[in-house]
Amino acid sequence: MAQPQKNPINPALALVAAAAGWFVPGLGHALLRKWSKAIVYFFAVVMLALIGLWMRGNVFSSNAADAFDMLGFLADIGSGIFYFLAGTINPAGADVSRASGDYGTRLFATAGVLNLLCVLEVLQIGFGSKEEWHAGP
Amino acid sequence: MILNHFQTMVIFGLAVSLAFAFLSKKSTSERVRYAVWAFLAFLLVAIGIGWLMYPFSR
């Protein structure tokens, strides 16, 4: 049986892929040719972000009033392009006076944190600290 | 879009368990097993905690 080979380490590609993966979920893995992971992460993050916004979840801004708002902002900014398109996707804005809006807030934050986890994995793969094989997607 | 708490929880569980399976497992069979296990765990734990909190809801 042939021994699997480790991916060659390319720090520049890893950083570019991480930035791309943050901005467009799954793009970082696609640049590293991890196609199945790219597709799954893309659909998972996009589904959470879009449903969160359509449910009129709150999107935290950078001028946070307290530590919890700052944590919310850090989670939300993790969703990349969806953070910047939130106003376009849901022009009506947030409505947390109903439970549905509150659930949407959590879903959008989850999308951001999940995408940040994916970005960390891109860095791990890119810098060779995570076992990934050429044969595996 | 209006979803109730359970529907939101199902969407959350699906997306997160699938992503966690791909983050932590290598082979397809391991990923499927982990995703199903994590999804069911999300639902069962949430419903269980819901029932535990029920006596204090009023």
Side-chain angles (χ1 to χ4, degrees), chain A residues 20-33:
Chain A
W22 164 72
F23 195 64
V24 179
L27 184 57
H29 286 84
L31 289 175
L32 297 178
R33 299 177 186 279

Side-chain angles (χ1 to χ4, degrees), chain A residues 37 41 54 130-131 133, chain B residues 1 5 12 22-23 26:
Chain A
K37 286 189 173 204
Y41 297 153
W54 286 336
K130 183 167 188 175
E131 280 189 359
W133 312 111
Chain B
M1 177 185 269
H5 201 168
F12 170 89
F22 274 75
L23 278 166
K26 279 184 185 173

